[in-house]
Amino acid sequence: MTAMSVIDLAFLLAETDDSPKHVAGLQIFRKPPGKEAGFLDRLYQYWLASPIDRPFNQIPDLHLGDFPGWRDAPGVTLSDHLHLHGLPKPGSRAGLMTLVAQLHACRLSLAQPLWECHLIDGLSQDRFAVLFKIHHAYGDGHSIGHWLARPLSPRRRPWPIQAYWQSLNGEGRRRAELPRPGGGLDRTLEQISPIPGILEMGLRQGLKWLGVGSNGVAPPFSAPRTPLNTRLGPDREIALLRFPMKTLIRIGKQNGCTVNDVVLAICDQALTRYLAKFGGLPSQPLVAQVPVSLREDSQNWQGNRVTLALVRLAGPDADPLQRLRAIHDSSEDAKREVHGISQPSMNGYISLLAGSVLAAEALGFGAAVPPLGNVLISNVRGPENIHYLGDARLLEAYPVSTLMPSLALNITVHSYAGSLFAGLVCDPCVVRKLPVLARFTRQAYRELRAVAA
């Protein structure tokens, strides 16, 4: 039996038909020259014969009276998880995005291991796509990024060395088996050990609400309410963007900032312009929920080892450089606060905050509770060099993430081979003009690039 953390469990308990809690990676490849015909059919048959390693052969064990965990499913049939699709001609990008949005809106079944792999044929210019979809309870952005890179290689091969659900050298079998928390005194001590840190964090945030202490970090539930903060429906819309890493790095270095600060500034400018155009722009700065990795053991990728920083963005009237520098200061304060408390205490504190949001939404008074944040913005690092799936070159690699309660927009970025690929996921009934927001995001990048030159 594999242990399940409180955060892993929260992703399962938070899930509804209107708010599935899986994430995905969308990878676009070019078929190898001379092998275009039937390439994806051959790949599909090749992967159907592959073994399945943990955690991809596991399902949640949520029996009452025992600590939740993961157990091996009695039988897993790959054809239930691996699917082959064909786009209608001419294989447009719009057709791909429509299919991906439909696939991403469907909730995964708890009766089966919570993942799917969709091979999508028929893209123009001899390209194809792979959408790998997995429940967030299995792992955080860094572990999911690791799994998405498993079949890839920095050089061409006749076939992929493994599938997404396989691990080399039995890693999945050897490393994923974790003991359940013990009973008796040990179990009690483990459960209560984070409490002092949680109380300390709560006191610190309470003082901020009273105006005592540093104002650099946004206290919980201090975000202004915007049209983005509302109850979600089941539909999803996706937009994809691409930026050159070299330019983002240069902008950051010239201003003493990180690439993540630059990304936050671009997103903040785009959201400010979007809300100003369509209504709902607050006079106070927006607040971004920014996941921060706490993963130290790179050999064990299962489970969520991540916490949440609340980063106050810039005010609506800031110019691009003022916006970047204000966000850098706020982000540095948030990181210091996150790393100034033990991991179990921080996880417990964040779980309490998230639990209160979920409870408010479930009881129907989510609109009466101030938002924890206005948007979730995440950054996942990928391979720096060109990679291949067998002998098919990986051209683009986009993250397609999930929506949190009362957050109708998620922006996740992923670096690969000199580019930063951004996936914007929204509820289209709330964010009714996602293409406009995507256009504003490109515009914000160009403006920041110009003033930083």
Side-chain angles (χ1 to χ4, degrees):
M1 187 71 67
T2 305
M4 181 185 296
S5 73
V6 173
I7 296 180
D8 303 340
L9 178 62
F11 278 115
L12 291 169
L13 298 181
E15 187 168 46
T16 66
D17 289 339
D18 286 352
S19 186
K21 290 296 176 278
H22 55 260
V23 294
L26 176 65
Q27 299 171 321
I28 299 176
F29 299 88
R30 189 179 306 283
K31 295 176 181 178
K35 300 180 182 179
E36 296 89 350
F39 177 82
L40 224 56
D41 291 305
R42 294 192 298 273
L43 178 62
Y44 174 76
Q45 294 299 327
Y46 177 72
W47 272 351
L48 274 181
S50 63
I52 306 175
D53 291 324
R54 291 174 182 157
F56 302 97
N57 64 344
Q58 293 186 309
I59 57 176
D61 185 352
L62 305 178
H63 289 139
L64 294 176
D66 200 358
F67 197 85
W70 298 95
R71 61 180 174 86
D72 291 354
V76 183
T77 303
L78 256 176
S79 57
D80 292 334
H81 299 268
L82 180 62
H83 307 281
L84 182 60
H85 307 266
L87 288 175
K89 290 184 178 181
S92 67
R93 198 173 188 88
L96 173 65
M97 297 315 303
T98 298
L99 175 60
V100 169
Q102 291 171 350
L103 294 172
H104 195 59
C106 298
R107 183 177 177 179
L108 294 163
S109 170
L110 287 172
Q112 295 278 346
L114 300 169
W115 64 274
E116 293 174 351
C117 182
H118 298 271
L119 307 180
I120 304 172
D121 205 357
L123 273 172
S124 61
Q125 301 177 333
D126 293 321
R127 294 170 301 151
F128 68 94
V130 179
L131 180 73
F132 187 72
K133 172 177 164 181
I134 184 169
H135 203 285
H136 214 322
Y138 280 116
D140 54 40
H142 289 272
S143 52
I144 293 166
H146 168 77
W147 291 327
L148 283 168
R150 274 181 172 176
L152 305 178
S153 170
R155 63 181 185 274
R156 296 181 186 270
R157 297 173 177 268
W159 289 104
I161 53 176
Q162 61 186 136
Y164 300 96
W165 49 90
Q166 282 180 269
S167 56
L168 286 176
N169 303 320
E171 172 198 330
R173 293 180 289 274
R174 187 176 69 250
R175 298 292 303 185
E177 188 68 20
L178 302 174
R180 285 191 176 208
L185 180 60
D186 290 342
R187 172 79 174 273
T188 302
L189 291 174
E190 183 175 1
Q191 290 177 333
I192 67 173
S193 63
I195 291 177
I198 296 173
L199 294 176
E200 177 191 347
M201 192 71 171
L203 176 61
R204 196 183 302 167
Q205 302 306 323
L207 290 173
K208 285 180 190 171
W209 266 103
L210 298 174
V212 180
S214 170
N215 291 318
V217 179
F221 305 107
S222 65
R225 182 163 293 281
T226 74
L228 302 175
N229 303 111
T230 186
R231 193 175 183 90
L232 306 180
D235 296 331
R236 296 293 179 264
E237 186 176 1
I238 298 166
L240 305 178
L241 299 172
R242 181 176 184 173
F243 303 100
M245 279 294 295
K246 184 182 295 185
T247 303
L248 299 175
I249 292 171
R250 176 179 59 79
I251 294 171
K253 285 184 176 179
Q254 288 176 343
N255 293 276
C257 300
T258 66
V259 169
N260 206 50
D261 298 332
V262 177
V263 170
L264 290 173
I266 291 170
C267 295
D268 184 32
Q269 178 63 68
L271 283 169
T272 297
R273 188 164 285 141
Y274 179 89
L275 291 171
K277 180 176 179 63
F278 295 106
L281 177 66
S283 57
Q284 312 101 296
L286 301 174
V287 174
Q289 298 183 18
V290 180
V292 177
S293 176
L294 301 175
R295 188 172 299 279
E296 296 177 353
D297 180 5
S298 61
Q299 297 302 311
N300 181 17
W301 294 97
Q302 187 170 353
N304 284 270
R305 291 174 176 80
V306 67
T307 189
L308 202 62
L310 300 178
V311 178
R312 181 182 283 112
L313 304 179
D317 299 325
D319 66 39
L321 287 182
Q322 289 174 337
R323 188 176 304 278
L324 176 60
R325 289 162 185 159
I327 287 172
H328 169 73
D329 292 341
S330 180
S331 181
E332 289 298 303
D333 287 341
K335 284 187 283 190
R336 279 192 292 269
E337 184 156 272
V338 164
H339 293 296
I341 189 171
S342 72
Q343 180 175 337
S345 296
M346 180 56 74
N347 286 343
Y349 174 72
I350 293 298
S351 297
L352 284 175
L353 295 182
S356 62
V357 173
L358 293 171
E361 185 175 45
L363 295 173
F365 56 86
V369 179
L372 187 60
N374 301 112
V375 60
L376 193 146
I377 303 175
S378 183
N379 190 343
V380 179
R381 186 175 179 178
E384 295 181 1
N385 301 318
I386 293 170
H387 275 58
Y388 300 86
L389 179 67
D391 51 359
R393 179 174 172 171
L394 176 60
L395 304 174
E396 304 168 61
Y398 296 96
V400 183
S401 197
T402 187
L403 298 182
M404 295 295 132
S406 300
L407 281 180
L409 178 66
N410 178 301
I411 302 173
T412 301
V413 300
H414 175 259
S415 59
Y416 164 66
S419 293
L420 191 74
F421 296 92
L424 284 64
V425 180
C426 76
D427 177 348
C429 294
V430 179
V431 183
R432 297 180 182 273
K433 301 288 185 179
L434 185 62
V436 175
L437 178 59
R439 186 173 76 245
F440 286 162
T441 306
R442 287 189 289 266
Q443 182 180 347
Y445 160 75
R446 292 193 295 269
E447 290 171 350
L448 186 55
R449 180 188 62 187
V451 298

